[in-house]
Amino acid sequence: MHKQRKGMFTGMMLGLLGSGVALAQGETPSAFSPGEQASYRVQYLGITAGTAQVTVGAPMRQWGKDVWPIVSLARSEAVAGVWPVKDKYVSYWDFNALRVLGSDMMEDQNHKRRRVRVKLHDDGKSALVVKQKEGEAPSERQHDILEGALDVAGATFALRNRTLEVGREYAYPVFTGSKSFLMKAKVEAKETLSTRQGKQEVYRLRVYTEFSGNLASKRDLVAWLTADARHLPVRLEADLALGSLVAELTDYQQGKVLTPKPAVTAQNGF
């Protein structure tokens, strides 16, 4: 793979799958719960380039709070032009406060490993980012962020908790770990889409982002979310600077209502 394409495949699978932005409000039941798992096939330039799996994990403790870990796994296929990729991204969803506390990214691309931890501070205006390449010492940096910022994975799940309406636009700040910007998602229509699970009623959303470099898009992203209470992302289309990408849902497992148990404490060491 050309050097400029490094990270694009994973960035799309882990960062843009079903991207949308909104903050869950009210006391309506969550559209997702621990045990939910969605698998996707990702095509790049019309060729199957890899897979992505998004799982809502069991309740745990992170930074002193109860969270649901939203775990995204990306794997590349052995095809020409794609580096071997085995990446894991964990977003820590505070289901009581309906916000993201931070994230851990374990990146393994072309046999080079790197870890990035983002911890959002309680003031909602700043974040600590720790980066470490394999064999090197970690580096830390404080970032000023837009107040109330979410990561993209958390924003996607927050959107699923909203009551979607055709013609309405949702816009909230997002922090990627290096950049803050405002993302906007507008519900354009309610339509029927043919999927691997059969025909489904879906909402079509047009998503505006400010990604740059490999993830810069030539046009707005288009995402389809089911029109039922789950608001599950079933398809994503993006026309990027380095080519078109499509992600489609291939398998889905509904989350389960869990009997309350003591939350597991996360390993906070970096």
Side-chain angles (χ1 to χ4, degrees):
M1 176 180 278
H2 191 280
K3 184 177 180 180
Q4 287 185 325
R5 298 183 184 179
K6 181 180 180 181
M8 187 200 72
F9 173 76
T10 301
M12 283 301 303
M13 290 202 291
L14 300 187
L16 299 179
L17 192 55
S19 291
V21 282
L23 187 61
Q25 298 174 349
E27 298 181 356
T28 56
S30 178
F32 55 92
S33 59
E36 181 184 79
Q37 186 172 91
S39 300
Y40 297 86
R41 179 187 66 179
V42 181
Q43 291 185 304
Y44 173 61
L45 296 176
I47 301 173
T48 298
T51 60
Q53 186 180 83
V54 184
T55 303
V56 182
M60 60 182 285
R61 296 279 292 180
Q62 178 66 304
W63 297 309
K65 299 182 185 297
D66 294 329
V67 300
W68 293 346
I70 300 173
V71 183
S72 302
L73 301 175
R75 299 289 185 270
S76 65
E77 300 285 347
V79 296
V82 177
W83 275 352
V85 170
K86 294 187 294 183
D87 287 357
K88 179 179 180 180
Y89 184 89
V90 183
S91 181
Y92 300 108
W93 174 257
D94 184 340
F95 54 89
N96 291 311
L98 301 175
R99 70 185 186 97
V100 170
L101 299 183
S103 62
D104 277 314
M105 173 72 171
M106 285 66 76
E107 189 178 82
D108 184 345
Q109 298 183 8
N110 202 26
H111 309 296
K112 295 181 180 179
R113 297 177 177 85
R114 184 176 74 121
R115 181 172 178 179
V116 179
R117 165 165 284 185
V118 177
K119 184 179 185 298
L120 304 181
H121 296 315
D122 290 338
D123 62 8
K125 301 178 182 179
S126 59
L128 173 67
V129 178
V130 183
K131 299 181 179 181
Q132 184 178 20
K133 293 182 179 180
E134 187 175 39
E136 298 182 8
S139 62
E140 297 185 3
R141 182 180 176 185
Q142 296 284 347
H143 290 256
D144 292 328
I145 62 175
L146 298 174
E147 187 171 2
L150 305 165
D151 63 12
V152 179
T156 301
F157 277 75
L159 177 64
R160 293 178 58 187
N161 272 338
R162 293 301 297 265
T163 299
L164 301 180
E165 300 177 8
V166 176
R168 186 172 180 181
E169 183 176 83
Y170 306 83
Y172 283 86
V174 165
F175 179 58
T176 67
S178 59
K179 181 180 181 180
S180 293
F181 58 85
L182 191 69
M183 294 178 67
K184 301 177 183 178
K186 183 174 183 178
V187 183
E188 292 189 321
K190 186 177 182 181
E191 58 192 27
T192 301
L193 182 69
S194 294
T195 72
R196 289 198 172 194
Q197 288 72 41
K199 292 185 177 180
Q200 297 195 52
E201 293 296 313
V202 296
Y203 288 110
R204 186 182 74 238
L205 293 85
R206 188 165 297 274
V207 183
Y208 168 78
T209 71
E210 294 182 13
F211 288 111
S212 58
N214 294 335
L215 293 180
S217 57
K218 298 179 181 178
R219 59 180 175 86
D220 294 340
L221 309 177
V222 182
W224 286 263
L225 276 62
T226 58
D228 58 19
R230 300 171 303 164
H231 291 160
L232 178 69
V234 295
R235 184 178 175 88
L236 167 74
E237 293 182 0
D239 188 8
L240 306 178
L242 293 176
S244 61
L245 185 144
V246 176
E248 293 182 294
L249 181 71
T250 57
D251 191 38
Y252 175 73
Q253 178 178 308
Q254 184 83 30
K256 298 178 176 62
V257 177
L258 301 180
T259 302
K261 296 179 180 179
V264 177
T265 301
Q267 298 298 318
N268 289 322
F270 194 84

